[in-house]
Amino acid sequence: MYKENFRIIILFITFLILIPSSLMGQERKKEVKKQNPLQQEYKIAQSYENIGEHKKALDIYRRLHKADPESPLYFNGMKRTMIFLKMYPELVNLLESRLKTKQDINLMGDLADAYYRWGKIDKAKELWNKIIETFPQKDFSYLYVSNLMVQNRLFEEAINLLLEGRKTLKNDKLFITNLGYLYYYRRDFKSATKEYIKLIKINPRLFNTVNKYLNRFPDDSTTFKEVLPVLIENIDREPGNPSYRRLIINLYMKHKKYEQAFNQYKILDNILNAKGKEILRFADMTLNEKEYKIAEEIYRYFINKYPSHKQIPKARFGLAYCYENIDNVPDDNKKMTPGYIKAIEEYKLVAEEAPESILKAEALYRIGEINFLKLFDLDNAINYYNLIVKQFQNTYICLTAFLRLGDVFIAKGDLENAMLNFNRVKNADKKSGKDLPGKARLKLAELEFFKGRIDSSLQICNNLLDEIPKNSDIYNDLLEFTLFLEDNKGINNNLINNYARAEFL
C-alpha cells in the first residue's frame, strides 16, 4: 500500500513539472511565429539579392525603409540595389534626402559617387571639394576623397589631390604609402621609389618595409633604369647612410649585377666598421645563388684582406666549394686545372685551420666526395670518410660518412663491408640520425636485391613503408623500388637474379 501511494505521488510531481515546460514550448513556438515581420522580409530581400533578383529585392527594401526610415540596414539595401540597377537619379534623391537630416562624410561621398556614375562629373567634383572644406580632419578628408577617386579609376586625379593636400597642409610626410601605391599602380616606379624612400628618412627602422615595396617592382631593365638614379641621388646626398646602400645592393642583386653589388658591399662594410662581416655575408649570399664565379672572387678578397679573421676557415670552405663547382681554375703557376683539384687544396687548409671544428669534418667529407665521385679514387675516399668516423663519433656527419662508406664498398664489390656500414647507420639513434637510418635500410634492401634475395628485400621495403612519413626524402625512391620488386616477384628466379647481379655490376 505504501509503495502504491509513493508511485502516485511521484507521477503527480512529474506531471506538475512537465505541464509548465510543455506550455513554455508552446509559448516559444508562438514567439517564433510572432517574430518581427520586418526582419523576415529583410531576409527575403537578401535572398533575392544573392540570387541576382535585384528589382524584387529593391521593392522589399523600399517597403522596409518606409516602415523604418532610421534603419541603416534597409537604407544600405536600397543603396546597393540602386547602384547595381544603375538607378542613379533615384539614388541621388535618396542620399540627398538623408543628408538633410544627417551631415555625414560617408553620405556625401556616396552622393558624389552617385553623381559621378550618373555622368554628372562637375557635381561630383563639387561635392569632393565640399567634403575637404567641411570636415576639419583635413588629412583624413584628402585620403577619403582620393579613395573615392581611385574607386572610379581616377588615379591621376587622386595623385594630384594628395599632392595638393600635402602642399596645403604644409606636411611633406603625409600620404607617402598612398602616393607610393598609386605611382606603383600607374607604373611610375621612379616616383614610387621617391615616395617610399621617404619612410627611411622618417624612421630608419622601416628599411624592411621599404625594401619589400621595392621588391614588388618588376625586374625588367626599364624599371631598373627608373629606380637606380633615385637611389644614387640619395646615396650622393647621404653617403654614410647604410640603408640607402642596402637598397641599391638589393636592386643590383635582383638584376644580377653582382660586381656593382660587390663594390657597394665594400663601402657598406667600411661604413659599419664591420671588419669583413658584410663582405662574407655577401659571399655566402652569392654562393647560395649558385653564382660561383663571383662568390669565388668575393671569398678570395675576404681571405686576402682579413687573413687573421676568425671566419677564415668558413670563407675558405666557401671558396673550396666554389672551386668544386667551377670547371677550370688557375693554379699557382697560372695554369688551368680542374676546379675540384684546387678545391681539395682549400679543404685541406680548412681542416688544418679548424682542427676541432665540425667544419673540419665537412671539409674532409667534401674531399671524400671528390675522390669518390670525381677522381674515382675509392681507397682515398675511404681514408677521408674514416677520418670523420674516428674524430667525430656520434654526430650526424659521422653517420653520413658511414652511409657513404657503404656506397664506396659497393663500388668496390665488397658487399659485406657495405652491409656493415649500413647497419651502423640503421641502428643509430633517430634523434641524431634523423632521416639517415631510413636511407640505410633502403640501401640494405638494395643489397639484398643485389644478392638475389628478392623476398628479403621486399620485406625490408614494406616494413620501411609502414614506418616513414610520406614527406620523407626517400619515400618516392622507396616506393618505386618496392613496386619494382612487387612487379617482378613472380618472374623466374634465375632471370631476376641475373638481372640483380647485372645491376650490381
Side-chain angles (χ1 to χ4, degrees):
M1 183 69 179
Y2 174 77
K3 291 181 179 178
E4 187 65 23
N5 290 338
F6 180 78
R7 190 180 295 112
I8 292 170
I9 292 169
I10 293 297
L11 289 171
F12 179 72
I13 293 170
T14 303
F15 179 72
L16 290 175
I17 293 170
L18 290 176
I19 285 178
S21 64
S22 62
L23 288 173
M24 286 173 65
Q26 291 175 11
E27 287 299 319
R28 285 196 198 99
K29 290 178 182 177
K30 287 179 182 179
E31 286 176 14
V32 170
K33 289 180 180 178
K34 291 179 180 179
Q35 190 181 43
N36 188 339
L38 296 181
Q39 291 179 354
Q40 291 180 339
E41 282 202 83
Y42 177 70
K43 290 180 179 178
I44 294 171
Q46 283 185 309
S47 299
Y48 277 133
E49 214 176 335
N50 290 335
I51 63 173
E53 294 284 354
H54 295 278
K55 288 185 179 179
K56 291 181 179 178
L58 178 57
D59 290 340
I60 297 174
Y61 285 135
R62 279 199 182 106
R63 290 200 302 271
L64 293 172
H65 180 64
K66 187 175 182 180
D68 186 0
E70 296 302 317
S71 170
L73 290 177
Y74 308 152
F75 175 79
N76 288 330
M78 284 185 69
K79 186 176 70 175
R80 278 196 315 272
T81 48
M82 285 179 179
I83 290 172
F84 187 87
L85 296 169
K86 299 181 179 180
M87 299 172 61
Y88 301 124
E90 190 170 348
L91 176 59
V92 164
N93 291 335
L94 175 70
L95 293 167
E96 287 182 337
S97 174
R98 189 80 159 188
L99 272 167
K100 288 177 182 177
T101 59
K102 183 180 181 183
Q103 280 291 312
D104 181 85
I105 189 170
N106 291 310
L107 283 174
M108 291 178 71
D110 289 341
L111 182 57
D113 187 65
Y115 272 121
Y116 186 85
R117 290 171 183 266
W118 189 10
K120 308 283 186 179
I121 297 173
D122 290 339
K123 191 68 177 175
K125 288 181 178 179
E126 182 184 319
L127 277 165
W128 287 334
N129 290 330
K130 186 177 180 181
I131 289 172
I132 292 170
E133 294 168 1
T134 302
F135 295 93
Q137 197 175 1
K138 294 285 187 178
D139 55 341
F140 173 76
S141 302
Y142 279 103
L143 272 178
Y144 180 75
V145 174
S146 71
N147 285 335
L148 293 174
M149 290 175 171
V150 169
Q151 288 172 22
N152 288 290
R153 305 188 66 80
L154 299 172
F155 300 108
E156 289 298 329
E157 288 81 352
I159 289 171
N160 292 332
L161 178 67
L162 293 178
L163 291 174
E164 178 191 323
R166 184 183 277 177
K167 185 177 179 180
T168 302
L169 300 173
K170 298 179 181 179
N171 189 345
D172 197 45
K173 296 178 182 178
L174 291 174
F175 318 131
I176 290 174
T177 53
N178 308 87
L179 281 165
Y181 170 77
L182 288 170
Y183 284 129
Y184 166 78
Y185 193 85
R186 297 290 293 164
R187 299 187 66 82
D188 182 354
F189 301 114
K190 182 177 182 178
S191 297
T193 305
K194 286 182 177 180
E195 289 298 327
Y196 287 137
I197 211 166
K198 289 175 183 176
L199 293 173
I200 293 177
K201 295 176 183 177
I202 295 171
N203 184 356
R205 293 181 180 179
L206 293 174
F207 169 82
N208 289 333
T209 301
V210 174
N211 194 46
K212 182 180 69 174
Y213 287 143
L214 298 189
N215 278 334
R216 291 175 182 170
F217 293 0
D219 55 3
D220 56 85
S221 59
T222 303
T223 304
F224 176 79
K225 290 175 182 176
E226 285 186 49
V227 175
L228 182 62
V230 179
L231 299 181
I232 291 174
E233 181 184 337
N234 280 274
I235 286 173
D236 290 343
R237 191 181 299 118
E238 295 182 57
N241 189 319
S243 295
Y244 297 156
R245 298 281 174 185
R246 291 194 187 282
L247 286 178
I248 202 168
I249 284 169
N250 291 341
L251 180 68
Y252 283 136
M253 289 289 288
K254 183 177 179 181
H255 293 269
K256 300 189 180 299
K257 297 184 181 297
Y258 298 107
E259 289 291 349
Q260 292 91 326
F262 185 24
N263 290 332
Q264 290 296 328
Y265 257 114
K266 292 174 186 176
I267 300 170
L268 178 64
D269 198 79
N270 288 329
I271 290 171
L272 298 174
N273 194 26
K275 298 178 181 178
K277 182 179 177 182
E278 292 295 329
I279 302 294
L280 188 56
R281 179 185 298 177
F282 182 49
D284 293 341
M285 196 185 305
T286 51
L287 182 67
N288 291 334
E289 294 282 330
K290 298 183 178 180
E291 296 289 341
Y292 299 116
K293 285 283 188 183
I294 185 66
E296 174 212 345
E297 180 186 343
I298 302 165
Y299 282 124
R300 282 196 288 104
Y301 174 87
F302 177 86
I303 292 167
N304 293 331
K305 189 171 179 63
Y306 305 98
S308 59
H309 200 288
K310 66 179 181 179
Q311 293 290 352
I312 284 293
K314 181 178 183 294
R316 202 178 292 284
F317 187 94
L319 177 62
Y321 195 78
C322 290
Y323 284 147
E324 195 178 339
N325 288 277
I326 297 173
D327 291 336
N328 290 291
V329 295
D331 62 16
D332 293 336
N333 298 316
K334 307 297 182 184
K335 294 178 180 178
M336 298 305 290
T337 185
Y340 48 81
I341 301 298
K342 286 286 288 183
I344 288 176
E345 295 174 8
E346 294 295 332
Y347 284 133
K348 286 180 178 178
L349 288 173
V350 172
E352 291 174 10
E353 293 168 349
E356 303 301 323
S357 167
I358 198 69
L359 200 61
K360 175 184 177 179
E362 293 173 357
L364 294 174
Y365 184 81
R366 294 312 312 161
I367 297 173
E369 291 288 274
I370 292 170
N371 278 283
F372 180 29
L373 302 174
K374 297 289 187 181
L375 300 175
F376 310 108
D377 186 342
L378 304 185
D379 291 333
N380 218 6
I382 289 171
N383 289 337
Y384 279 101
Y385 293 134
N386 275 329
L387 287 173
I388 299 169
V389 168
K390 289 175 184 176
Q391 184 175 351
F392 298 92
Q393 296 176 14
N394 302 319
T395 61
Y396 184 81
I397 197 165
C398 173
L399 296 176
T400 306
F402 274 132
L403 205 61
R404 214 50 164 153
L405 280 167
D407 291 333
V408 177
F409 280 118
I410 288 177
K412 287 173 69 71
D414 186 348
L415 299 190
E416 293 308 313
N417 266 316
M419 182 179 293
L420 178 65
N421 282 283
F422 290 146
N423 275 321
R424 283 168 175 161
V425 182
K426 173 194 135 181
N427 298 323
D429 177 67
K430 288 185 178 180
K431 186 176 180 181
S432 60
K434 298 178 185 177
D435 57 333
L436 295 182
K439 289 182 179 180
R441 289 169 69 185
L442 177 56
K443 296 281 187 182
L444 288 167
E446 290 172 351
L447 279 182
E448 290 297 288
F449 171 69
F450 291 148
K451 292 177 181 179
R453 301 171 185 168
I454 309 303
D455 290 339
S456 174
S457 178
L458 187 58
Q459 184 178 358
I460 294 172
C461 290
N462 284 329
N463 290 340
L464 190 53
L465 276 173
D466 291 337
E467 296 176 26
I468 66 170
K470 290 185 178 181
N471 61 352
S472 169
D473 290 343
I474 65 166
Y475 187 84
N476 289 336
D477 291 338
L478 173 63
L479 184 61
E480 184 179 350
F481 186 55
T482 305
L483 292 174
F484 167 77
L485 295 174
E486 289 280 5
D487 290 343
N488 293 282
K489 188 177 178 183
I491 295 177
N492 180 282
N493 282 340
N494 289 329
L495 288 175
I496 193 67
N497 288 345
N498 288 335
Y499 176 79
R501 280 193 288 272
E503 280 287 294
F504 168 65
L505 296 174

